[in-house]
Amino acid sequence: MQFSYGVKDPLENNYDSKTGVYHYVNNKDSVITKKFFLKSDDILYMHRKANEIGLWNFPDTIGKKSNKSQSIPRYDITFNYKEKSKHVTVYGDFDGNPKLLDAAVQMRKIIQETLLQAERRSGK
């Protein structure tokens, strides 16, 4: 699983479950790098939630890159498996189907909460 988010290109916050490396910008604009791995329960939880929410049926892009402002957040979510993978990009100013946006926001929150819990467990 890879998860990236932010407002700049390239996205300044990212986690890769294969390497366990988490880069993010804290509230003091400092880049923090940590390394921790998700437990198999974390991965199973996110997978189950992705199935419940319908991630596999999401379009590859929800919204579109805006020229309005550099402060529109973007979230990239990728789940990789042996036989398939799913990559979804969600733009924060999406104004389409509210159910699709709600599902995408739910998935983003689940991933961020899972990463926060795993980071706390690691004590790093």
Side-chain angles (χ1 to χ4, degrees), residues 49-62 75 77 79 85-90 94 97-108 110-111:
K49 288 298 186 179
N51 278 335
E52 283 176 25
I53 291 170
L55 179 77
W56 301 107
N57 298 319
F58 283 14
D60 293 342
T61 304
I62 299 173
Y75 305 91
I77 302 167
F79 282 90
S85 68
K86 179 65 176 179
H87 175 257
V88 177
T89 300
V90 181
F94 176 67
N97 182 333
K99 288 183 179 182
L100 179 59
L101 178 60
D102 182 52
V105 168
Q106 277 184 345
M107 194 69 236
R108 174 190 56 86
I110 288 164
I111 292 169

Side-chain angles (χ1 to χ4, degrees), residues 3-71:
F3 178 60
S4 302
Y5 59 98
V7 294
K8 299 176 187 172
D9 281 326
L11 295 173
E12 61 267 24
N13 307 288
N14 54 71
Y15 178 78
D16 186 327
S17 66
K18 187 175 184 178
T19 64
V21 176
Y22 189 26
H23 297 284
Y24 64 93
V25 178
N26 68 9
N27 57 4
K28 297 178 184 175
D29 283 338
S30 299
V31 177
I32 307 296
T33 300
K34 295 186 175 186
K35 186 170 185 173
F36 59 88
F37 291 94
L38 297 173
K39 292 182 176 182
S40 58
D41 287 348
D42 297 329
I43 303 256
L44 287 171
Y45 171 73
M46 287 190 297
H47 175 75
R48 279 194 309 271
K49 288 298 186 179
N51 278 335
E52 283 176 25
I53 291 170
L55 179 77
W56 301 107
N57 298 319
F58 283 14
D60 293 342
T61 304
I62 299 173
K64 62 183 179 191
K65 192 168 189 168
S66 173
N67 293 329
K68 288 187 258 177
S69 167
Q70 293 293 76
S71 62

Side-chain angles (χ1 to χ4, degrees), residues 105-122:
V105 168
Q106 277 184 345
M107 194 69 236
R108 174 190 56 86
K109 286 180 180 178
I110 288 164
I111 292 169
Q112 286 180 310
E113 289 169 7
T114 303
L115 291 177
L116 182 61
Q117 290 172 2
E119 181 183 8
R120 287 181 181 155
R121 268 195 317 263
S122 74

